[in-house]
Amino acid sequence: MATLQANEQVVYQRPRALTEVNTHYCPGCTHGVAHRLVAEVLDEMGLQDRTVGVACVGCSVFAYNYFDIDWVQAPHGRAPAVATGVKRSLPHDSIVFTYQGDGDLASIGTAEIIHAAARGENITVIYINNANYGMTGGQMAPTTLPGQKTTSSQTGRDVELQGYPIRAAELLANLDGASYVVRRSLHDPKNIRMAKKAIQTAFETQVRGLGFSLVELLSICPTNWGMTPVESLGWLNDHMIPYYPIGDFKVISALQKETCASKAEG
Amino acid sequence: MPVKGRIVVDDVFCKGCELCASVCPQKVIQMAPERITAKGYHPAELFKDGCTGCAVCAVICPEAAITVYREAPRARVAAEA
C-alpha cells in the first residue's frame, strides 16, 4: 500500500464495506462494479453495521465473501422471499437487500420477485442483467436478446420458438406495491455514476420505509459473450440499451418531492 | 498548470481487464508488459506523466483495485498545515 504524501489527498479508495478478498469474477466483469457501488453507498449512508444481504444463485452467489456485512444465501430465485422474512422479523433494525442476476430474478424467481413487489415489501433489489446465464456457461436466459447467439441458441434466439426477452423493470413498475423501479447501465463512467445515484435512492427508499425498490443494472459477460471486456462495453451500448432502455419506470411521489427538494437545496 | 495526480494499483486485485486504460482521458494507463500478478495477469500501471487524479479509472474498475491521489490545492495545504 502506498502512503499518502504531504501535499496529497485521497480522491478514491477501496470502500470499507468490501472485504479484502479477490473476487472469482472473470476480468472485466461488471459484477465487480455493481459490488463496488453497493459498498460505496453502504459506506456513505453508514448502513454497513445493520445491512443484511441476500445472495442469489449464479455467479454472484459468492457475494457473501466479498462484502463485510451479514448475508443469507437463498435457494435459486427465492432471495426476495428470504429477504421478506429477514425484513419482517427485524423491520426497524435491518436494511435488507437482495443481489440477483437475470437467471435468478427473471427466470426461476419470477414469482417471488413479482409477489414481493406486489406486497410492497420494504426491501431493495439489485438486479444484474447480462443477457445470459453466466455461471453455467452462457446459455440463453429470459433476457437474451432476439437473435443473440448463446451456447443454447447457437443460431441466435428465435422469438417464434423461444419467445421474447423479459423487461423485468417495466414489468415490476406496473405493480402498485413497487415504489422505486429504475434501470441503469454499467458500460461507461457516466452511467456508472448514474447507477450509483439510483442505488443510493433505492436504499433511501428502504431507510424511509417507503417500500419496494429495484435497480436493474445492465452488465457485461465478456467470457460468455466471447469478447474482450472493452468490446463487451460497446456491445452492451449498441445492442442491449436499445432493447432495455435506461430510465425511471416508477418513482413514487414521496421520492420525487425529495429529489426536487434536494435539488433546490443543492 | 494542470492538476497532478497518481494512481496506485493493488496487484492483489487487478486482473488486467484494461477497462481503466480504455476510459483514461489522459491515456496514461497501460497493462505492465513485463510484470505479472500472482494470478497471472498483467496489472495496470501508470506509464507516463499526465495523470490528473480524475478517478475515472477508479469509477470503472470492477475490482476496486485503484487508489487515486491528487495534489491538494495550495490553499488547502496551507490551511491544513
Side-chain angles (χ1 to χ4, degrees), chain B residues 6 14 20 25 28 33 36-37 39 42-44 47 52 55-57 63-64 66-67 73 75 77 79:
Chain B
R6 67 185 170 104
C14 181
C20 52
V28 292
I36 54 170
T37 66
K39 281 201 152 196
H42 290 287
F47 72 104
T52 60
V56 168
C57 52
E63 306 297 331
I66 304 177
T67 310
V77 175

Side-chain angles (χ1 to χ4, degrees), chain A residues 7-9 11 22 25 36, chain B residues 6 12 15 59 61 68 72:
Chain A
N7 61 341
E8 279 182 331
Q9 57 194 12
V11 183
N22 202 327
Y25 300 121
R36 219 193 58 226
Chain B
R6 67 185 170 104
V12 172
K15 291 176 183 163
V59 168
C61 177
V68 184

